[in-house]
Amino acid sequence: MAEENLKVLSALDVAKTQWYHFTAIVIAGMGFFTDAYDLFCISLVTKMLGRIYYHVDGSPKPGSLPPNVSAAVNGVALCGTLAGQLFFGWLGDKLGRKKVYGVTLMLMCICSIASGLSFGRDAKSVMATLCFFRFWLGFGIGGDYPLSATIMSEYANKKTRGAFIAAVFAMQGFGILAGGIFAMIVSAAFEVSFKAPAYEIDPIASTVPEADYLWRIILMAGALPALLTFYWRLKMPETARYTALVAKNAKQAAADMSKILQVDIEAEQQKVEQIVQKQKGYGLFSRAFLHRHGLHLLGTTSTWFLLDIAYYSQNLFQKDIFSAIGWIPAAKTMNAIQEVFTIARAQTLIALCSTVPGYWFTVALIDVLGRFAIQLIGFFFMTVFMFALAFPYHHWTKPDNRIGFVVVYSLTFFFANFGPNATTFVVPAEIFPARLRSTCHGISAAAGKLGAIIGAFGFLYLAQNQDKKKADAGYPAGIGVKNSLIVLGVINLLGLLFTFLVPEAKGKSLEDLSGENEDNRDGH
């Protein structure tokens, strides 16, 4: 089967792991670094924005963002990401991966910097500006999902392709750590320079005027890592699979890859033309696509959608958990800058303990166990741990059992990252034909972001207390945390079932997986 393949593609499939593989991981991973940095930092920033712009005189607690403003600030980036995944995914198949790749990075850099600037001084104009630029920041980040995954899968060799694509995604872990560490350093420096009393001692003086610069600096710094890799992105050649199989230029593909692999590769223009003719280029909405890949696309979209509902709902419990264990003291006992430092420290610790190790477990084992096994194991344990939190929920709320709650909670997210969070990103970049690969990955990722929006906002309302009087200010009564956790457990169980629609891609060439080689053989 493999000898049917073009020599340039076979050379990539069997290439030993080389330096260019690692540079590709870093260049492709920077988008995810920025993505994670931004999502991590906004949760720190919203606390501070509440104190600066929504201070209520005489209130016993520091100001906080009203529910609708909070939802907008957090949600616009997710909506932008969803739109960007669909648009740039489609564009990456139309114009080529490389052409679109610099655009998404530029968009991220400009919008990261712009989200720290605001037109006007009152709360409304600051929030409007922030939301506007965060939408376009999300749009750029969204484009990075299908493009980075596709570029990495098309550059990688057969043996370690899963680990390379997962490593690009795992750069998110470093983004989270960088966000936490940077926020801690900057807030510590501000705390030393601008002394302020706690809120309960002097509500006005507890938020120094300079605090308005702190959140801007934290947000704008997100542009730096992306800017540093911009030059390398522009220098990266187009992937051979796009050049040969979609743009039909065998000579260019062979020349590009000869340079990278440092071997002579013969250009087989005639063979490219034969392949392209025999592929009977079916489109995304054709019956042939539905017949060959319809169930695969259903599998990749549904599992990513279900996973992200569970994954993004964690934001609900995080602040409650930290306060419950006493990692974060009551807001009124701190000034604005101390609060940023304290929350950053707590989130960085959680990331170090459960989030980051999960990613790298996947990188290490994905080409040993396979994608299917890791996704099944992940969904299985997420289901078990969600139910373990839900059914004895009353038991966990007692002060003596809080540490146990945090351990079980951390394990849930360890198995999300050593499980479906990584595999749902890897698989769509492997199983579809080259001319539709970026589009299908974009569609799968957008389904995930839709799940994220439901997870982040649907559960904000669902998890509210069943008694309206005990619900958070501005929210209607919900079904309570216990029932919300049961719903999340069921969602994970569904994810486990839908995993059976997705084929195993371990150790196979991309053309064998997508059926592009079979198309050639049918024609012989």
Side-chain angles (χ1 to χ4, degrees):
M1 226 156 139
E3 56 276 348
E4 310 270 345
N5 218 344
L6 289 167
K7 287 185 181 141
V8 61
L9 304 188
S10 302
L12 278 168
D13 277 342
V14 297
K16 285 193 171 59
T17 299
Q18 295 170 28
W19 182 242
Y20 83 88
H21 284 124
F22 294 107
T23 54
I25 287 172
V26 174
I27 295 165
M30 265 317 147
F32 291 96
F33 183 97
T34 310
D35 179 20
Y37 178 95
D38 174 69
L39 278 176
F40 178 93
C41 285
I42 199 65
S43 59
L44 305 176
V45 167
T46 47
K47 291 262 187 222
M48 180 164 260
L49 288 172
R51 285 189 183 232
I52 298 171
Y53 291 104
Y54 291 92
H55 172 74
V56 179
D57 282 329
S59 165
K61 284 200 296 197
S64 64
L65 298 184
N68 58 341
V69 177
S70 173
V73 170
N74 289 304
V76 283
L78 294 175
C79 297
T81 307
L82 193 156
Q85 284 160 338
L86 292 170
F87 176 70
F88 286 116
W90 167 78
L91 210 59
D93 283 333
K94 277 278 167 288
L95 302 180
R97 303 20 171 156
K98 177 192 156 66
K99 273 191 187 135
V100 187
Y101 211 29
V103 180
T104 59
L105 197 72
M106 225 37 237
L107 198 55
M108 283 195 280
C109 294
I110 293 167
C111 294
S112 273
I113 293 166
S115 62
L117 308 169
S118 42
F119 307 124
R121 288 179 166 233
D122 62 319
K124 217 171 192 172
S125 56
V126 171
M127 295 306 146
T129 323
L130 185 62
C131 288
F132 176 80
F133 286 116
R134 282 182 57 72
F135 176 85
W136 291 108
L137 172 66
F139 196 68
I141 287 170
D144 234 54
Y145 274 72
L147 293 169
S148 292
T150 304
I151 285 174
M152 200 63 236
S153 96
E154 293 183 342
Y155 263 115
N157 54 31
K158 273 195 297 204
K159 211 164 104 200
T160 54
R161 185 177 61 234
F164 287 157
I165 306 173
V168 167
F169 196 60
M171 291 290 277
Q172 281 191 328
F174 289 132
I176 292 170
L177 290 179
I181 292 163
F182 183 73
M184 281 158 68
I185 292 169
V186 180
S187 53
F190 266 69
E191 177 61 22
V192 171
S193 314
F194 311 108
K195 291 265 183 279
Y199 182 87
E200 56 190 356
I201 296 167
D202 185 340
I204 304 282
S206 71
T207 307
V208 291
E210 289 81 6
D212 201 29
Y213 293 108
L214 177 62
W215 67 269
R216 296 169 194 275
I217 292 168
I218 292 173
L219 283 184
M220 290 162 115
L224 273 177
L227 271 174
L228 294 174
T229 52
F230 185 65
Y231 170 72
W232 300 108
R233 273 205 185 186
L234 295 184
K235 281 196 65 172
M236 213 176 180
E238 181 58 86
T239 72
R241 287 183 159 91
Y242 184 85
T243 312
L245 298 173
V246 187
K248 312 179 187 55
N249 187 343
K251 198 170 162 195
Q252 186 64 47
D256 288 343
M257 293 308 115
S258 300
K259 213 182 288 175
I260 282 182
L261 296 169
Q262 292 164 345
V263 287
D264 283 335
I265 300 171
E266 172 194 347
E268 306 164 287
Q269 188 61 41
Q270 211 177 348
K271 196 164 175 186
V272 164
E273 275 154 24
Q274 279 176 353
I275 288 175
V276 171
Q277 267 174 352
K278 284 163 191 160
Q279 266 177 12
K280 309 183 263 303
Y282 55 84
L284 183 64
F285 298 107
S286 62
R287 190 171 286 167
F289 179 86
L290 191 68
H291 171 68
R292 283 159 190 259
H293 299 292
L295 281 178
H296 295 166
L297 190 58
L298 176 65
T300 57
T301 48
S302 57
T303 49
W304 207 337
F305 172 73
L306 292 162
L307 162 85
D308 270 7
I309 294 178
Y311 194 76
Y312 278 80
S313 66
Q314 68 172 313
N315 304 337
L316 299 178
F317 307 113
Q318 207 144 350
K319 60 178 191 305
D320 307 334
I321 283 171
F322 292 151
S323 307
I325 341 160
W327 273 8
I328 294 182
K332 63 180 181 188
T333 62
M334 299 180 281
N335 66 39
I337 292 168
Q338 282 167 339
E339 189 176 35
V340 170
F341 182 86
T342 320
I343 300 173
R345 187 181 59 193
Q347 291 193 342
T348 310
L349 278 170
I350 281 273
L352 262 178
C353 300
S354 73
T355 316
V356 178
Y359 284 125
W360 294 102
F361 263 80
T362 308
V363 173
L365 295 172
I366 191 166
D367 289 309
V368 182
L369 299 174
R371 292 81 169 129
F372 182 74
I374 288 181
Q375 193 160 312
L376 271 189
I377 293 167
F379 269 131
F380 174 76
F381 280 108
M382 282 172 76
T383 309
V384 169
F385 291 130
M386 280 289 185
F387 284 145
L389 289 176
F391 290 114
Y393 183 69
H394 182 67
H395 162 84
W396 295 118
T397 52
K398 292 179 185 153
D400 303 348
N401 306 325
R402 280 170 180 166
I403 297 297
F405 184 85
V406 174
V407 171
V408 178
Y409 176 82
S410 298
L411 280 169
T412 317
F413 289 99
F414 171 79
F415 279 105
N417 290 324
F418 174 47
N421 196 27
T423 53
T424 51
F425 176 77
V426 173
V427 175
E430 302 181 303
I431 61 178
F432 298 108
R435 64 183 180 282
L436 298 171
R437 187 170 290 135
S438 170
T439 308
C440 290
H441 194 285
I443 292 169
S444 307
K449 272 296 166 281
L450 187 62
I453 293 166
I454 293 171
F457 301 109
F459 279 87
L460 251 179
Y461 288 90
L462 270 185
Q464 292 300 329
N465 201 302
Q466 285 159 308
D467 178 358
K468 173 87 176 80
K469 292 187 190 80
K470 291 183 186 165
D472 290 349
Y475 288 98
I479 59 171
V481 175
K482 178 178 176 166
N483 294 337
S484 297
L485 285 166
I486 295 171
V487 172
L488 289 173
V490 172
I491 285 169
N492 290 328
L493 193 58
L494 284 173
L496 184 120
L497 299 175
F498 275 105
T499 298
F500 287 96
L501 294 175
V502 182
E504 178 55 76
K506 186 178 87 173
K508 296 177 182 160
S509 95
L510 291 175
E511 286 64 43
D512 290 346
L513 279 166
S514 63
E516 283 162 296
N517 278 345
E518 288 161 42
D519 294 340
N520 308 346
R521 280 209 322 285
D522 294 345
H524 281 305

